[in-house]
Amino acid sequence: MDKQLKEKLSRIRHVALDMDGTIYLGNTLFPYTIPFLEKLGKLGISYSFLTNNPTKSLDDYVAKLLRLGVPCRHDQMYSTATAAIDYLKAHRPEVKRLFLLGTPSMISQFEEAGFVSTADDPDDVPDMVLVAFDPTLVYGRLCRAAWWVSQGLPYIATNPDWVCPTDEKTILVDCGSLTACIEGATGRKPDLVIGKPNPDILLCVAEKLGLQPDQLAMVGDRLYTDVKTALNAGSCGILVLSGETSLETALASDDTPTLICRDIEEFGQYLEQAAE
């Protein structure tokens, strides 16, 4: 390990972990995940889970991690649904009524935060359209979202991911593909995309922990979300090859990670070396 890389890694005090493709794939936990988290504890490095997938509430995500055997508290879990709620309350307090293209679990999270979910009805006019990854997608609701977007209503998306990683023999069409569909129908892109690579989602974690951006590492399997978020925030961007991205794609990309690892197990070995 060269001196510059060792110096960067030795400053890390918190690791923000992507989930699908990084610590598990679909419903299969990687065998090295628990040992990696234990190693972080021994090194005095805290961790949290930062996902672009807004389909589940924080309760659902914590329950899934615990079911897989991963120790997790609510304050260690941050999703793009949480980030969108925080953004709207801080920057768009006038927005109360939302047409939400998302799962029932996500919609209930917004309703619990005080927002009104409008119906698929041309007379139930929302203040804003919010589009998310939605495996429960109903075609009519996609059409309604496109209609409101075409009418010029404010329009945001939770994340730019084209597909969601899976261990099943299918392609899970993600939010970026849905917004591309709406763009094809209306000519409009979202006014704002909340999740990774928007650095605010990572900077918020740093602020809560009282750390500087360069004391954080964002670890994930995607260049255009995980790594780019870290680079945009001034943090270490660690690419793992256990999910979407191949080594060939990574080496050809303009977004150069701080470090490319086979998986989080190998990243843990680098952290150990940097601490010596």
Side-chain angles (χ1 to χ4, degrees), residues 50-52 54 58 77-91 109-110 115 130 156-158 192-196 198 200-202 204 208:
L50 192 61
T51 177
N52 260 10
L58 295 190
M77 186 72 244
Y78 205 64
S79 75
T80 49
T82 312
I85 289 168
D86 289 347
Y87 168 80
L88 291 174
K89 289 190 171 183
H91 301 284
Q109 191 174 347
F110 277 84
F115 295 94
L130 186 143
I156 66 174
T158 54
L192 175 69
V193 179
I194 295 288
K196 300 176 286 187
N198 186 330
D200 290 345
I201 195 170
L202 188 57
C204 180
K208 287 181 179 179

Side-chain angles (χ1 to χ4, degrees), residues 197-263:
N198 186 330
D200 290 345
I201 195 170
L202 188 57
L203 293 173
C204 180
V205 174
E207 185 177 357
K208 287 181 179 179
L209 295 171
L211 297 174
Q212 296 300 312
D214 65 351
Q215 292 179 292
L216 268 70
M218 177 73 231
V219 184
D221 66 311
R222 294 180 173 185
L223 288 162
Y224 64 97
T225 55
D226 303 311
V227 170
K228 199 157 188 175
T229 298
L231 300 180
N232 289 343
S235 302
C236 289
I238 313 300
L239 178 72
V240 289
L241 303 176
S242 51
E244 178 181 305
T245 306
S246 67
L247 180 60
E248 293 74 19
T249 300
L251 294 176
S253 172
D254 293 332
D255 298 317
T256 305
T258 307
L259 182 64
I260 300 174
C261 296
R262 178 189 68 249
D263 46 42

Side-chain angles (χ1 to χ4, degrees), residues 143-177:
C143 295
R144 182 65 57 204
W147 167 253
W148 290 132
V149 168
S150 74
Q151 299 307 294
L153 267 65
Y155 164 39
I156 66 174
T158 54
N159 56 292
D161 306 61
W162 292 101
V163 298
C164 181
T166 180
D167 54 355
E168 300 175 2
K169 294 180 178 179
T170 187
I171 290 179
L172 299 180
V173 175
D174 209 327
C175 184
S177 297

